[in-house]
Amino acid sequence: VAIRRSSGDLVLNVDSDTTLASDVVAKLALKMQDPAVGAAMGQLVASNRGDTWLTRLIDMEYWLACNEERAAQARFGAVMCCCGPCAMYRRSALLLLLDQYETQLFRGKPSDFGEDRHLTILMLKAGLRTEYVPDAIAATIVPDRLGPYLRQQLRWARSTFRDTLLALRLLPSLDRYLTLDVVGQNLGPLLLALSVLAGLAQFVLTATVPWSAVVMIASMTIIRC
């Protein structure tokens, strides 16, 4: 409703628990001066970083996700998820995609999770670039207990797997690096889980140290880094 009633050229999406630095709007708008850019996101930090060991780790995770993953994807003009806490969109593109965005289905049922990733994929499918602006800082509240964090991660993982399926045909047209990156992001956790289960099974059944699983996990970690 807000998008349809708006009149500006740009729309800024901000989560209710997010605080923006004073120059965020100006820096994101500067990136949007290029008419080929449909969306741009800023860098996320944890506003409650000092609360617990978990919030400190999540803040580190956000830094890596923004300044490694998003920054690398932005080199090709194809950030795969402009995150919900702080993202700016070109209103003319939003209006063209809004009906499709509002009625998104997954396996025939309405989908109400991972809307930021889904909208980013729609932007890329429309032929627009999506960008990352590292000095546009947005501070958001992160879970400080393990239970809520795991529920959040499960919801995000469902979104990642779902929208990767939607984007498979799109990936080759973007860049071979992006295809490798996105496929690796999805296969990595599955292979990691398989390695852990295989190691536990070997330990339980044979009472021997599962060195093959340890080496596999270490190799995957090094390759990912």
Side-chain angles (χ1 to χ4, degrees):
V1 172
I3 293 168
R4 288 194 169 96
R5 291 185 179 181
S6 63
S7 58
D9 294 331
L10 305 173
V11 174
L12 181 68
N13 183 83
V14 185
D15 276 358
S16 58
D17 60 356
T18 299
T19 304
L20 303 183
S22 59
D23 56 357
V24 164
V25 174
K27 288 179 175 177
L28 291 178
L30 186 64
K31 179 68 71 173
M32 300 292 292
Q33 285 184 337
D34 183 349
V37 176
M41 66 166 285
Q43 180 177 175
L44 303 182
V45 298
S47 58
N48 57 333
R49 181 187 188 279
D51 286 0
T52 66
W53 62 269
L54 181 60
T55 57
R56 287 192 290 273
L57 287 175
I58 294 174
D59 185 64
M60 292 168 61
E61 181 185 22
Y62 278 14
W63 191 94
L64 292 170
C66 288
N67 294 297
E68 287 188 350
E69 180 185 315
R70 271 27 173 225
Q73 293 171 350
R75 294 283 293 180
F76 306 95
V79 173
M80 300 305 294
C81 178
C82 289
C83 298
C86 177
M88 184 174 282
Y89 298 94
R90 190 170 305 282
R91 181 174 174 271
S92 57
L94 270 181
L95 292 177
L96 293 175
L97 300 170
L98 212 51
D99 289 337
Q100 185 180 354
Y101 176 55
E102 286 182 317
T103 57
Q104 61 176 303
L105 301 174
F106 184 62
R107 299 177 64 186
K109 297 180 180 179
S111 178
D112 58 358
F113 60 89
E115 68 285 348
D116 50 0
R117 183 177 293 273
H118 186 71
L119 183 55
T120 306
I121 297 297
L122 292 179
M123 285 284 178
L124 291 170
K125 282 187 172 182
L128 295 165
R129 295 169 61 89
T130 53
E131 295 284 356
Y132 168 59
V133 183
D135 55 351
I137 308 297
T140 188
I141 298 174
V142 301
D144 58 2
R145 291 180 294 114
L146 202 55
Y149 172 71
L150 292 177
R151 287 194 295 272
Q152 178 199 65
Q153 292 301 302
L154 178 61
R155 188 173 69 251
W156 288 1
R158 290 169 63 201
S159 166
T160 300
F161 285 119
R162 179 200 64 188
D163 284 297
T164 297
L165 291 175
L166 296 176
L168 280 179
R169 294 182 180 178
L170 170 69
L171 289 175
S173 65
L174 296 175
D175 190 271
R176 285 177 295 178
Y177 166 79
L178 287 168
T179 303
L180 177 64
D181 181 48
V182 173
V183 171
Q185 281 187 53
N186 286 270
L187 285 182
L190 298 177
L191 293 174
L192 179 61
L194 185 62
S195 298
V196 171
L197 291 175
L200 288 174
Q202 179 181 331
F203 181 75
V204 170
L205 296 175
T206 67
T208 59
V209 178
W211 289 113
S212 58
V214 172
V215 170
M216 177 62 71
I217 293 171
S219 300
M220 289 172 57
T221 302
I222 292 170
I223 291 171
R224 175 62 181 166
C225 290

